[in-house]
Structure formats: structure tokens, C-alpha cells
């Protein structure tokens, strides 16, 4: 309930934030929404010597479409995503994921960038954005780089970010004119982490699947794509048989663990069921 | 006599008086109390479920600036306070000395100038533990080679705590021998937790100058707690004042005495300053009074569609200390009510309690002293029997209910049910539900591959503890009290020995006075919770306030009304028997203009009395109830299952309650809806469990799941009214009915969706994976 | 009387570093020096003495501590006081004005939307924020918006009734 002591920095610019991180190295953690970090600090599972609060930095909370890409600033709150038209329709996987993250009050503060940096295998954004083929823009004093999300998650709570890097933006490519997706989440109650989450995002061209994104939450050491399932769909018509086969493969792609939320077999079955339902929805809505 | 709308006594949904401060955020909860010089106490808890303590080094913690004291079991032992008695006649460690016996057990405490510093200091306390094997079930604990957990108790050579029986074993065996069918159920009512939104805590202020101890405490039973403090701490009872201020929910969690209270009081005594202990949620869930954890094996003997006998064997997981908060003569509480609403001629119940390496407790969470467990078992057995016998579950119940003409009904385990009409409540529920249409809809849905279920539970509760001869807590008889004083200007103060935690006593009990004396509820100030200013009572839990203190209020109000009649006779120069009463006024028979209001008579009590009459208009009554009361009802739940995930959604809840006369219908309905929600949570998601090492899972709100507004279903409420023949107001009490009766309704609904495929049981909580496993086994999974 | 170790050694110990926080609380500017680690909930309750904001858990799960931060519901137990520097906080104490109770408070009272009152401040503030955005929410929208505020007493139904009633009252400009 009572965190340990830390030094607090609230830089006004990104440059200031980055040079502070340079100086402090892995002694410091970045504070964005705080809805994952602060609970850990209160339980003293995390005890950073310093916090760099980036909430005062302007320009990190823009949500827009530019050059055909969807650009989500790192400080865009989940709530903003929940409300935005830009995340509906062809990028339905994102618009459907946003309202299911945690609870409505946490969504007011929590950020997309913070969620990705936290890299909880039970986090929702990671899967939704993986399915949408997103890239992360990371900046440090010495420059910036773009990291495809597949390469971003290394393991539970571990990412490709260096201690002196900050996510500034997430970029989602145009899914094409005919595209649809959704996010299905099984949770025991609102605010719980996912027992199983399945993100589905499909692009079509000439009646068949040009790109399939299927990513899984809570059934592996990190948010990950169901690559066998995706490959089976690419180039195929999204009919009943294809859907069932993809769902079967997605269940195989999953690496669930048995725990209080259910056995590994149970979770695999939910992956299968959700993949099927998600693909049917995509087929209907595209 | 019904009161006029403007007087608003019984039966009126008077808006609550206590709301005024609560909606403004001006409640006075324990953690809001701030006294000059107040220090803060934080408790160090054991990470191990079972371990010897080799040493504790507090030097670094004590040296931290801002730390005033570090308290260990050794220090408490020097003052004879390392152990304390429990409400079940056992002892419990205040701070561990030799061993820790459950994960989360209190090991040491820091007193500091602020809680952040106190928490910093906790991290500096070094405890050297020698882990021991942990016993996490009664079965393991009662095995012959199990290590003895309570090796602190002389003569304790096993983990067995008690054996308890009720009913007639021979008659039951004979009936079973005679039966043409036996239906059985093995079920575990899992460990759950009352989890009121406000955690436990206290501010202990032992004044060094006067020696008086004032303890603000989250207490549902301030007087009993004061007496216990006197016995435990050796402080003279008249020098102890317990103030139970606003309480943010109790549900039985605030009945036991916890080590934090004792350590805070000892610290205040030693340091001469007020000490606040404000528990955090993790401490609350891991160490304070949990509920249930009852392993039950029940068998019903049937002849045709009639139940002729019931036998039950239970094992109770009591944790490391036997601390059940229940009447002393009842080791298994009121579990004997297990024949429920049914006319079962023979029954036998036996229970064995076991120590385990878990937190102590068991009787809590609106259980009415184990009636939740009993009600769950019988309603699940009855549902199973209906399927096995091939009779509709509603019809089966109707055929077996105790009939109205059988009341007062003596059950096979010795309970004297006061009144009831179970069939009427059931019929009303079925009508509201459109039961027959629903059964048709269920069949049609099944054809289309959709699984709907309809679950019923027809519970009978037993509350209002209780007659002093039979009911006591650590020897203190379970009467309760009301002290009423009417001021010269006709305003009144009512002081009670109970203590509400959200049940609305400040309004409800004022309405009783309004009913009997005609003083409007706005003019009656209800006070509870301060032992210096209220008459002795045993507190609020087990739905007992209305049956006991409510009765006391009615009795004393009537006594004052009798005195008011004498005053009226004097004032109106008439004979007392020539006067008639209408709410708020006496008048002369035949001359209604010649009258005196209760306000005028109140003034007269101080200014115009007949010779020889004692001045004033006040009195106190201690009410010893002649019997328990038996609220009842039928709950019906409709669910739909997701065949792909096992998730289930509640489509409808119909709840028909009969708690006798309802004093404030709005408040009664609020209690019921709260209970239906707890029942849903228990059936669907609430669980405290342990791994093989005794690590507790469910000690924070990420793991201990509470239903939100989104999952919680809507409730359709209705009532029948069958007054209690022995209660002065005909009221029975209702606080726990829905928590007691509804879990079986939810579970029966899910089972009902699968019963056609032979499924008979799924263990609570019915999480989606368990339901899916049942679907898969029945060949119904998607 | 047993010995209780209450002495601290003479070792040099710097006092904790504090930061100045300037927050507008219920329309009033408030300032204090606080450690960065102090939670906004504790700042409100202990430093400012506004005890209407309650603490119900330690895992950001229950919403009892909800306040409005620049008009948006936030769990004050999961925000550091320093993060609120230069911002506006509204607590339950700021609802009643010289004109009387806020319609939400009145509605909770009329509809019996509270029992023990512990979740009530946070519940009302979240509901007020909902009505700002959505003046005529459906019951489902109300339940969805309140799903971050736990209540153990009421079963939520009367809370939903209260919010609906407040919404109607506010639409009529009462």
C-alpha cells in the first residue's frame, strides 16, 4: 500500500526526459499512465530509485491518420481509443480491444505506450496491435528506431526497449479497403486480466484473404501471433472450412499453462472457439 | 395499527437518516479518526504457512528515524498478551512466538510516526524461519501421521478440534434402511471472504493520565468486545470505552477480535499515545475471519417422491486457531437447520472440525452461523433428488414442503420453526417467472443447441439469536437491548445494544418508535456503537438486530406508551381505560376532541404528573427472545451457458422473500439485493484457495474476485408476509436471507442447463473452465 | 514495564526529499510539501483532511478512492500527489454547494443507492463524469461506466436507479 522512496522527475520536453534517462540508466522507470507500474510499486514488487513522469511532454498524445497509417501517440489513453472512430470499422480489432482493457477508470489513465512497454502476457493491446501488424517508435538521445511488434516482446514483462529508450508512438499500417477484425476476451469479471484473448484482423483482396493477423493473449509467455493459423488463411477464401482449420491451428499455436483460470486444454479450446468466432465476425463485417 | 403517512412507522419506505453524512463524505470511519500525537501501526506477516521462528532481529527497524517502537511476540508475552482467547473457547496468537501457523499470520509490528515509515521499517525486520510442512485440508490434517499444528496446546495430540452431532442417528439409519432410493452429494463449500469494502482497524487511545482506554474499532459487537478486552488486557471494564463509528460493511468480518486490535491497544498503553492500526486489503483477506470451507457429504433417503431421512457428515476447515464467531454451545453453528423447508422426519448430522495451516475463522459472510452451508446442501440435494426421481424440481419441492398447518414445526434436529408458508412463496416466484412458459422455452432452445437453465432454491433461515439459555457468546447471553428517552418537547433518543454497518438502523428503529408512540422518525435519534452511551447488547450479525433489539424497542416503546396513558388520564381527567389510542395521541372514548398528543404528554412527564408517579418518560428493556425467527423464501435464477467457453450469463433473478412484517420495505429490499449479489459472487467467482505449500491465493482483489455492476444481474423482488407469532412486531430479520439462499439457486440453474445430459454437480465457484469441463464430459461442448 | 526500544542512533540521516505540490481541490488552491511517493489518496485524506475519499484495497481494484482529476475519474490510490501538481481535483466534499446537494447526492439518497456509504463518494463521482459525457445513458451504459467501482452492500440496482434519476433531474435543470 505504501511505495518505497524514489526521486521524481517531470520533464517538460522529450529531450529532457531522454537525457534524464541517459543519466539514470536502469535506476529509473518511465511513468506514463501508472496503472501497471504504481500498483507494483505499492506492493513493493518494483522499487525504482527514480521515476521519469512523461505526462507533461506535449505531442505524445496525438491519435491520427497520416500517410495512410494510423498513428497512436504513446500517451494516448485507452479511453481515447475506446471513443475514436479511427479504431473502428476496418481496424475493428483495435476498437474492440480498447473497451475491454481493465476497467473504465483505469482506462482513463492507462496509455497505449505504457501498456506495450509493460509487456504483460495477459495485456490486451499487445495482441490487438500484433494482429494489426503494428510497429513501435522508440526514441533515445542518440536517435530513434522503429521496432515491429513481433520483435518487440521478448518474454513476460520483457521488451526490446533499452533503459534509455522511450516509446513515443505506435504505427499501424493501412489494412486496405476491405478489412475487418475484432478482439474477443474471456475474463472472469470486468477488471480481471484475460483468461484468453484472441485478436483477429483480416484484409481481403479479390475475395480471398490477403493478410491475416491472429494474436493471442494469456496463452504464452508473451503476446504472440498464431502464425500457423495466419499462414493457412493467407491467400485462401474465408469460408467455413478455412475458418475451422485456422481456429484449430491457432489452438495449436497457443502455449497455455494450467492455472486457476483453467487447464491448458481448456484455454486451447477457448483459443479455437474465439478464433472461429473472430474470423466469422471479420468475414461478416469486411 | 398502521401509522398515518406523516408519522411513517412500520411499513413505510422512509428515506434514511444516516445518508445525510454519508453522501457528503462526512462519515466517520475508523481510518478517518485522527487524534493528537497519533502513531501508526503496521503488521509484519509471515510468508510461510507453517514454520518455526528461530529468531527475530528488529534492531534495524527500530533504528529507522520515525519509528517509535517495534513489537514482537516476545514483548507481548512479557505482558501476558502473546495469546488471546477466541470466541470459540480456543486461544489465538496475537504475535507469533514459537511458530507461525498460517501464511499471513502476525509476527511483529512497527509503531511509527506515519504509515509509510512503518512500512519501510517492516522491510528491515529480519525473521529467521525454519519452514515446516503445511497442512492445507482437513483430510490431510486429520490423517494419523499429520504433524500437530497446535503443539502450543497442552494435551493436543492431533489436529482434531471438535466432534458434534445433532438429530437421531438410529431413526435416521432405520429410515435409510427402509428407503427405496438414496441420493447423495459430496460437495465443498469453498473458503470465501466477507470482504467488506472497509478493512478492519482501530485507533487505541489509552490515556496515561486517567487510565481510560478509548478504542475506536471496526466492531459489529462493541459491548461484547469491551468485555473481552477487559478479560484479555486486564484493563478494568468500566475504564474501557469502545466506539464503533461508521462501519463500511461488516458481513461478519468485524465480529472477531484480531491481533491488530490487541497490539495497537498494548502499544498505546506502553507508549502513552494513540495508536492507529489500519489494515490493508491483503492483510484483511489473508488473515481475518474467512467464511465457509466446509466439506459436506449429504445423503437423502427417498420413498417415491418423498424425502424420509437426511444424513450429513461434515469436516470443517477451521484454520490454525478455532475462532468461529458463534454461540458457544453450537460447534457447527445452526447447521442443524439442514432439513430446510422440508418435512423430513428423520435426520442426523455430524461434524468434525480440523486445524489446518490457514487463517482462522469459518463463521462469517452473512452465514447466519452456518445456515449458508446447510441451506446450500439441502437445496442441492433436493435438486439432485428431483432429477433422479424424475419430477420437476419445483413440483418436487412443493410435494415435500412443510405445510402451513404444521406450524409451529419441530424439525428432526430440534428446531421450532415459528411460522411459514413455503408453497405460497414458491408459487409466487413461479408465477412471476412464468415457469411453465420458461420450461417450454428451455426445451425449444435445447433443440436449437442453446442451453438455458432454471435454478430454484427454497430456503428457510433461522435467525435472531437468541434465547439466553441456549445462546451465548463466550458466556454472554444473546439478549439485546433498547433504551428510550423522550424529552420534554417530544423528541426522543433511542440507544441500542446492536451496531449496524449499513443496514439502516438509524431509520428502521426510529420507525418502530414511530409506530408505537407516534413520534415521527425524524424526531427519534438512534444511537449505537458507543459502549459508554448505550445499553449492553451482543451486536449486529446473524440477522439478529430486528428480532432482538427491534423487539426490545417495541417493548420499551409500549411501556412508555402505557405511562403516557396514565399521564393522559391525569391530564384529561379521565380513567385510563376510558382512553383510546390513535398514532401519536390519546383521546377520550366518544369525545375525540378531548385528547393529548404524545408531545403534550412528554412535556407532562416532566411538568404535570399525578401524585406518586416517577417523573420522566424513559426506560430500558433487555429482550431475551423466546425463540428464533424463521424467514424463508424462494429464489429462481435463469441462466444461459456459452457452450464454447463455459461462461454463463444470468438472464433473470426472481426473489420472493418472507421475513414477516417489513418495517422499512426499501431497506429490506436493499438488503436482499445485496445478498443476491454476494450469492452470485460466491457461486460464480469468489474463492480463497491454497497451494500445497500453504501459499494463499486470493489474498488481494486481483485474485479474490468481486462482481461489478456489469456482471451483477438485475433482480425482480416480491414478497409474502407470514408474521412471526412470537415477535412483538411480527418481524423476522432479513439481512442474510439472500446470501444464505441464493448460491444454490445460481448453481442449480447452471446444473439445470446440463441435467438432461446427466450432469448433477459442479463445485463452486462455477468458473467457466469448470462449467466447460462439465459440458465437455456431457458431450455438449462447442 | 518492559523495555521498548525507542531510541534512534546518532547516525547522520537526511530527511526525505519533498516536492511542493499545488493542486486546486474543489475549487480551492491547496499547497503542501510532500514526498513524491505519497499517493494522491493519502494527500487528500491525511494532508488536506478530506476523508470523504476512501481506501478499500491495495491493488487498484475497487474504485473506492475515485476522484475527478481534471474532470476525469481517476483512482487516487494509483496516482502520486506530485502528478496532480497544477491540476484540478474534485472530491465528494466538493459536490454540495450553497445551493444545496448535487442532484447525484440527492438521487442516491432518494433511491437508496447507498447502505454503508463506503463506496458512495467514488461511485457518485464516476457517475457524475458519465453524465457529463452522456446525459441520458441506458441502464447498460450506466452499469458499464460504473464497472470500476465495487459495491458490497447494494447489489448495484439502486445505484443504477439513482444515476438514472439524477440524469433526469439534471436534464430538467433542477
Amino acid at each position: 500500500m505504501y511505495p518505497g522512496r524514489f526521486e521524481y522527475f517531470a520533464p517538460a520536453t522529450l529531450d529532457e526526459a531522454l537525457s534524464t534517462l541517459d543519466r539514470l540508466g536502469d535506476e529509473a522507470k518511465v511513468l506514463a499512465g501508472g496503472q501497471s507500474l504504481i500498483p507494483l510499486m505499492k506492493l513493493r514488487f518494483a522499487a525504482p530509485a527514480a521515476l521519469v513522469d512523461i505526462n507533461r511532454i506535449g505531442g505524445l498524445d496525438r491519435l491520427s491518420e497520416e500517410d495512410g497509417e494510423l498513428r497512436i501517440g504513446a500517451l494516448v489513453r485507452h479511453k481515447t481509443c475506446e471513443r475514436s472512430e479511427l479504431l473502428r470499422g476496418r481496424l475493428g480489432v483495435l476498437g474492440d480491444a480498447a473497451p475491454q482493457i481493465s476497467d473504465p477508470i483505469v482506462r482513463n489513465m492507462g496509455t497505449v505506450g505504457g501498456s506495450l512497454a509493460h509487456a504483460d502476457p495477459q495485456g490486451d493491446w499487445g495482441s490487438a496491435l500484433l494482429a494489426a501488424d503494428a510497429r513501435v517508435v522508440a526514441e533515445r538521445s542518440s536517435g530513434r528506431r522503429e521496432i515491429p511488434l513481433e520483435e518487440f516482446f521478448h518474454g513476460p514483462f520483457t521488451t526490446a526497449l533499452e533503459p534509455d529508450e522511450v516509446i513515443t508512438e505506435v504505427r499501424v499500417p493501412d489494412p486496405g479497403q476491405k478489412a475487418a477484425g475484432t478482439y474477443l476476451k474471456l475474463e472472469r469479471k470486468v477488471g480481471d486480466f484475460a483468461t484468453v484473448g484472441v485478436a483477429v484482423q483480416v484484409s481481403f483482396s479479390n475475395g480471398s484473404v490477403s493478410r491475416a493477423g491472429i494474436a493471442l493473449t494469456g496463452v504464452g509467455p508473451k503476446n504472440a501471433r498464431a502464425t500457423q493459423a495466419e499462414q493457412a488463411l493467407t491467400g485462401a477464401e474465408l469460408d467455413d472450412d478455412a475458418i475451422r482449420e485456422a481456429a484449430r491451428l491457432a489452438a495449436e499455436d497457443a502455449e497455455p499453462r494450467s492455472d486457476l483460470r483453467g487447464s491448458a486444454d481448456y484455454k486451447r479450446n477457448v483459443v479455437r472457439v474465439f478464433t472461429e468466432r473472430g474470423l466469422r465476425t471479420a468475414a461478416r463485417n469486411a | 395499527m398502521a401509522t398515518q403517512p406523516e408519522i411513517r412507522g412500520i411499513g413505510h419506505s422512509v428515506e434514511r437518516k444516516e445518508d445525510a453524512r454519508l453522501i457528503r463524505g462526512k462519515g466517520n470511519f475508523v481510518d478517518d479518526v485522527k487524534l493528537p500525537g497519533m502513531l501508526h501501526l503496521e503488521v509484519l506477516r509471515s510468508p510461510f504457512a507453517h514454520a518455526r521462528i528461530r529468531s527475530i532481529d528488529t534492531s534495524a527497524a527500530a533504528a529507522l528515524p520515525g519509528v517509535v517502537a517495534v513489537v514482537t511476540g516476545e514483548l507481548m508475552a512479557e505482558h501476558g498478551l502473546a495469546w488471546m482467547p477466541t470466541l470459540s473457547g480456543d486461544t489465538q496468537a496475537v504475535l507469533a512466538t514459537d511458530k507461525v501457523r498460517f501464511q499471513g499470520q502476525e509476527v511483529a509490528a512497527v509503531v511509527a510516526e506515519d504509515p509509510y515509515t512503518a512500512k519501510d521499517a517492516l522491510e528491515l525486520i529480519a525473521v529467521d524461519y525454519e519452514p515446516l510442512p503445511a497442512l492445507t485440508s482437513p483430510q490431510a490434517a486429520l490423517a494419523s501421521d499429520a504433524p500437530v499444528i497446535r503443539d502450543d496446546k497442552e494435551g493436543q495430540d492431533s489436529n482434531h478440534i471438535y466432534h458434534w452431532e445433532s438429530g437421531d442417528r438410529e431413526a435416521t439409519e432405520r429410515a435409510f434402511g427402509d428407503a427405496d432410493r438414496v441420493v447423495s452429494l459430496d460437495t465443498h463449500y469453498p473458503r470465501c471472504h466477507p470482504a467488506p469494502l472497509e478493512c478492519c482497524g482501530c485507533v487505541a487511545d489509552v490515556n496515561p493520565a486517567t487510565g481510560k482506554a478509548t478504542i475506536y474499532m471496526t466492531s459489529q459487537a462493541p459491548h461484547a468486545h469491551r468485555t473481552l478486552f477487559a478479560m484479555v488486557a486486564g484493563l478494568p471494564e468500566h475504564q474501557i470505552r469502545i466506539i464503533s463509528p461508521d462501519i463500511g460493511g461488516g458481513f461478519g468480518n468485524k465480529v472477531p477480535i484480531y491481533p491488530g486490535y490487541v497490539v495497537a491497544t498494548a502499544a498505546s498503553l506502553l507508549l502513552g499515545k494513540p495508536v492507529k492500526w489500519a489494515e490493508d486489503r491483503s492483510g484483511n483477506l489473508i488473515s481475518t475471519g474467512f467464511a465457509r470451507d466446509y466439506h459436506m457429504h449429504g445423503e437423502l433417503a427417498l420413498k417415491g417422491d418423498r424425502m424420509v431421512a437426511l444424513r450429513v457428515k461434515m469436516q470443517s476447515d477451521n484454520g490454525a486457531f478455532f475462532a468461529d464467531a458463534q454461540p458457544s454451545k453450537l460447534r457447527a453453528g445452526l447447521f442443524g437447520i439442514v432439513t430446510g423447508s422440508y418435512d423430513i422426519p428423520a435426520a442426523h448430522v455430524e461434524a468434525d472440525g480440523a486445524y489446518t495451516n490457514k487463517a482462522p475463522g469459518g463463521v462469517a459472510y452473512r452465514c447466519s452461523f452456518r445456515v449458508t452451508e446447510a441451506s446450500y446442501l439441502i437445496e442441492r440435494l433436493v435438486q439432485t433428488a428431483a432429477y433422479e426421481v424424475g419430477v420437476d424440481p419445483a413440483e418436487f419441492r412443493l410435494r415435500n414442503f412443510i405445510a402451513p398447518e404444521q406450524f409451529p414445526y419441530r424439525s428432526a434436529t430440534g428446531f421450532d420453526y415459528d411460522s411459514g408458508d413455503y408453497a405460497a412463496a414458491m408459487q409466487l416466484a413461479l408465477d412471476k417467472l412464468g415457469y411453465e412458459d420458461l420450461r417450454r422455452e428451455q426445451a425449444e432452445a435445447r433443440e436449437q443447441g442453446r442451453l438455458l437453465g432454471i435454478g430454484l432454491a427454497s430456503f428457510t433461515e433461522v435467525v435472531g439469536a437468541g434465547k439466553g439459555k441456549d445462546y451465548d457468546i463466550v458466556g454472554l447471553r444473546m439478549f439485546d437491548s433498547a433504551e428510550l428517552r423522550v424529552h420534554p418537547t417530544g423528541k426522543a433518543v433511542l440507544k441500542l445494544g446492536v451496531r449496524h454497518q449499513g443496514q439502516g438502523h438509524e431509520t428502521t428503529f426510529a420507525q418502530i418508535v414511530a409506530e408505537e408512540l407516534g413520534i415521527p422518525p425524524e424526531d427519534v435519534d438512534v444511537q449505537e456503537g458507543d459502549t459508554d452511551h448505550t445499553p449492553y447488547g451482543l451486536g449486529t450479525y446473524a440477522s439478529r438486530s430486528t428480532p432482538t433489539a427491534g423487539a426490545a424497542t417495541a417493548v420499551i416503546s409500549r411501556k412508555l406508551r402505557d405511562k403516557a396513558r396514565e399521564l393522559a388520564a391525569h391530564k384529561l381527567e379521565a380513567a385510563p381505560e376510558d382512553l383510546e389510542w390513535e398514532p401519536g395521541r390519546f383521546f377520550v372514548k366518544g369525545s375525540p376532541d378531548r385528547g393529548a398528543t404524545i408531545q403534550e404528554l412528554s412535556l407532562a412527564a416532566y411538568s404535570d404528573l399525578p401524585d406518586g408517579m416517577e417523573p420522566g418518560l424513559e426506560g430500558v428493556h433487555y429482550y431475551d427472545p423466546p425463540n428464533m425467527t424463521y424467514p424463508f423464501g424462494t429464489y429462481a435464477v435463469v441462466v444461459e451457458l456459452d457452450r464454447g467457453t463455459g461462461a454463463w450469463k444470468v438472464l433473470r433473478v426472481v426473489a420472493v422473500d418472507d421475513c414477516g412484517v417489513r418495517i422499512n420495505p426499501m431497506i429490506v429490499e436493499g438488503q436482499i439485493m445485496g445478498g443476491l449479489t454476494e450469492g452470485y459472487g460466491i457461486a460464480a467467482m469468489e474463492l480463497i484457495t491454497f497451494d500445497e505449500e500453504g501459499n494463499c491465493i486470493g489474498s488481494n482483489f486481483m485474485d479474490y474476485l468481486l462482481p461489478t455492476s456489469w456482471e451483477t444481474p438485475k433482480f425482480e423482488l416480491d414478497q409474502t408476509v407470514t408474521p412471526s407469532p412470537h415477535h412483538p412486531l411480527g418481524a423476522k430479520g432479513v439481512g442474510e436471507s439472500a446470501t444464505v439462499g441464493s448460491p444454490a439457486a445460481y448453481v442449480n440453474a447452471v446444473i439445470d442447463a446440463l441435467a438432461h445430459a446427466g450432469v448433477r454437480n459442479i463445485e463452486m465457484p462455477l468458473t467457466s473452465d469448470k462449467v466447460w469441463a462439465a459440458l465437455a464430459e456431457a458431450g455438449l461442448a462447442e | 514495564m518492559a523495555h521498548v526500544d525507542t531510541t534512534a542512533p546518532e547516525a547522520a540521516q537526511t530527511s526525505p526529499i519533498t516536492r511542493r505540490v499545488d493542486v486546486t481541490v474543489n475549487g480551492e488552491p491547496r499547497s503542501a510539501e510532500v514526498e513524491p511517493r505519497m499517493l494522491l489518496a493519502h494527500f487528500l485524506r491525511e494532508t488536506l483532511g478530506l476523508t470523504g475519499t476512501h481506501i478499500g484495497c491495495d491493488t487498484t481494484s475497487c474504485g473506492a478512492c475515485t476522484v475527478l482529476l481534471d474532470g476525469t475519474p481517476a483512482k487516487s490510490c494509483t496516482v502520486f500527489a506530485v502528478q496532480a501538481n497544477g491540476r484540478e481535483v474534485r472530491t465528494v466534499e466538493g459536490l454540495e454547494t450553497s445551493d444545496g446537494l448535487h442532484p447525484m447526492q440527492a438521487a442516491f439518497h432518494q433511491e437508496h443507492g447507498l447502505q454503508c456509504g463506503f463506496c458512495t463518494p467514488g461511485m457518485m463521482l464516476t457517475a457524475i463524469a458519465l453524465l457529463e459525457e452522456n446525459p441520458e445513458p441506458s441502464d447498460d451504459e450506466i452499469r458499464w461506466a460504473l464497472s470500476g467501482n465495487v459495491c458490497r452492500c447494494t447489489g448495484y440496482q439502486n445505484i443504477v436507479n439513482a444515476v438514472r434519476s439524477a440524469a433526469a433531474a439534471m436534464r430538467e435543470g433542477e
Side-chain angles (χ1 to χ4, degrees), chain A residues 6-46:
Chain A
F6 56 87
E7 257 192 288
Y8 175 76
F9 301 91
T13 67
L14 185 59
D15 282 341
E16 219 184 297
L18 295 177
S19 67
T20 308
L21 285 175
D22 264 349
R23 194 161 45 81
L24 297 170
D26 56 17
E27 297 258 295
K29 286 217 67 107
V30 172
L31 176 65
Q35 303 300 286
S36 300
L37 179 59
I38 298 179
L40 286 176
M41 291 175 67
K42 283 161 65 178
L43 295 172
R44 303 208 178 193
F45 291 157

Side-chain angles (χ1 to χ4, degrees), chain B residues 433-761:
Chain B
L433 206 54
Y435 187 67
E436 277 168 34
D437 288 338
L438 256 183
R439 281 289 179 206
R440 260 194 301 276
E441 198 187 317
Q442 180 187 36
E444 280 159 19
R446 202 176 294 147
E447 307 280 307
Q448 297 156 13
R450 286 173 53 221
L451 295 174
L452 297 179
I454 308 166
L456 297 169
S458 292
F459 68 95
T460 288
E461 260 266 60
V462 51
V463 302
K467 185 196 282 198
K469 207 161 61 79
D470 305 320
Y471 294 94
D472 67 87
I473 297 208
V474 295
L476 301 166
R477 291 193 168 193
M478 295 185 74
F479 57 85
D480 227 285
S481 58
E483 184 184 313
L484 181 60
R485 176 185 304 177
V486 187
H487 298 315
T489 55
K491 316 292 185 195
V493 179
L494 175 69
K495 302 179 179 185
L496 303 167
V498 290
R499 206 302 169 260
H500 68 152
Q501 321 102 38
Q503 296 94 325
H505 289 184
E506 290 171 37
T507 310
T508 304
F509 285 80
Q511 288 176 248
I512 299 175
V513 176
E515 182 71 22
E516 301 295 338
L517 275 177
I519 299 175
E522 313 79 84
D523 290 348
V524 181
D525 184 33
V526 178
Q527 295 175 9
E528 296 178 347
D530 184 337
T531 58
D532 264 9
H533 296 300
T534 52
Y536 203 96
L538 271 287
T540 296
Y541 42 84
S543 308
R544 66 185 298 273
S545 300
T546 296
T548 60
T553 304
V555 169
I556 192 57
S557 301
R558 289 171 192 175
K559 274 198 185 139
L560 296 196
R561 192 172 79 222
D562 289 343
K563 184 167 182 178
R565 179 186 287 271
E566 302 289 323
L567 287 160
H570 173 75
K571 192 177 171 62
L572 299 169
E573 293 171 339
E577 54 273 14
D578 289 337
L579 296 176
E580 262 187 60
W581 168 256
E582 64 181 3
R585 186 173 177 264
F586 278 107
F587 62 92
V588 178
K589 278 184 199 159
S591 304
D593 294 339
R594 269 180 68 205
T597 64
I598 187 68
Q599 287 77 13
E600 288 167 331
L601 297 171
S602 306
L603 185 57
Y606 298 85
S607 61
D608 179 15
L609 308 104
D611 289 339
M613 179 187 274
E614 194 181 348
L617 190 59
E618 70 180 89
V620 61
H621 186 73
Y622 291 86
Y623 184 78
D624 188 15
N627 190 8
M628 305 290 274
T629 58
Y630 296 77
F632 62 93
T634 290
Y635 298 143
V637 174
V638 183
V639 302
E640 178 160 6
L641 274 50
D642 180 328
R643 293 171 51 210
T645 63
W648 48 282
K649 192 171 155 54
V650 177
L651 302 177
R652 285 183 74 186
V653 177
V654 167
V656 175
D657 277 272
D658 191 322
C659 53
V661 170
R662 296 187 174 198
I663 299 168
N664 183 319
M666 174 188 82
I667 288 180
V668 168
E669 290 180 357
Q671 292 295 296
I672 292 167
M673 290 192 285
L676 291 170
T677 304
E678 290 180 338
Y680 170 67
I682 290 167
M685 62 182 76
E686 297 184 32
L687 176 69
I688 294 186
T689 190
F690 298 79
D691 66 18
E692 318 81 65
E693 274 139 40
N695 293 311
C696 179
I697 301 152
S699 65
N700 59 63
F701 278 167
M702 293 199 305
D703 296 324
Y704 192 75
L705 305 175
L706 300 176
T708 73
S709 53
W710 187 247
E711 297 84 38
T712 301
K714 294 200 241 294
F715 307 117
E716 300 164 58
L717 307 183
D718 211 319
Q719 61 180 298
T720 57
V721 181
T722 313
S724 167
H726 65 80
H727 188 277
L729 301 170
K732 290 189 174 183
V734 73
E736 298 164 306
S737 286
T739 313
V740 164
S742 71
Y746 294 105
V747 174
N748 281 342
V750 175
I751 303 289
D752 189 68
L754 303 168
H756 65 286
V759 175
R760 293 291 175 262
N761 188 38

Side-chain angles (χ1 to χ4, degrees), chain A residues 3 5 8 83 103 108, chain C residues 19 35 37 73 75 77 133:
Chain A
R5 290 208 172 100
Y8 175 76
R83 299 235 184 81
D103 70 54
N108 287 336
Chain C
R19 299 280 292 248
E35 285 196 75
R37 65 171 169 167
K75 296 188 186 185
C77 72
E133 263 180 39

Side-chain angles (χ1 to χ4, degrees), chain A residues 201-253:
Chain A
Q201 177 66 27
V202 186
S203 300
F204 298 89
S205 103
N206 299 327
S208 59
V209 174
S210 55
R211 193 203 151 257
I214 301 175
L216 308 178
T217 304
V219 285
K222 52 183 185 172
N223 293 144
R225 294 172 68 154
T227 46
Q228 285 190 100
E230 289 175 342
Q231 275 153 24
L233 284 174
T234 314
E237 240 187 80
L238 196 58
D239 60 20
D240 247 16
D241 287 335
I243 288 176
R244 266 198 223 102
E245 177 61 6
R248 193 188 64 78
L249 289 169
E252 259 184 41
D253 282 327

Side-chain angles (χ1 to χ4, degrees), chain B residues 283-336:
Chain B
N284 176 260
L285 289 172
I286 209 174
S287 76
T288 65
F290 71 90
R292 323 281 193 272
D293 216 344
Y294 240 43
H295 299 258
M296 306 184 279
H297 176 77
E299 292 178 320
L300 268 177
L302 294 144
K303 273 180 105 75
D305 59 7
R306 293 303 317 271
M307 299 187 278
V308 296
L310 169 68
R311 68 181 166 215
V312 186
K313 262 187 137 108
M314 288 114 61
Q315 286 183 329
S316 168
D317 185 331
N318 282 97
F321 309 106
F322 183 34
D324 275 359
Q326 68 193 351
S328 70
K329 296 180 173 72
L330 305 171
R331 307 273 84 177
L334 295 167
F335 189 91

Side-chain angles (χ1 to χ4, degrees), chain B residues 18 22 27 49 60 77 83 132 173 202 225 229 246 292 385 516 591 641 674 776:
Chain B
E18 41 268 84
L22 297 172
W83 291 82
L132 299 165
E173 295 303 320
C202 71
H225 284 158
F229 260 86
D246 287 318
R292 323 281 193 272
E516 301 295 338
S591 304
L641 274 50

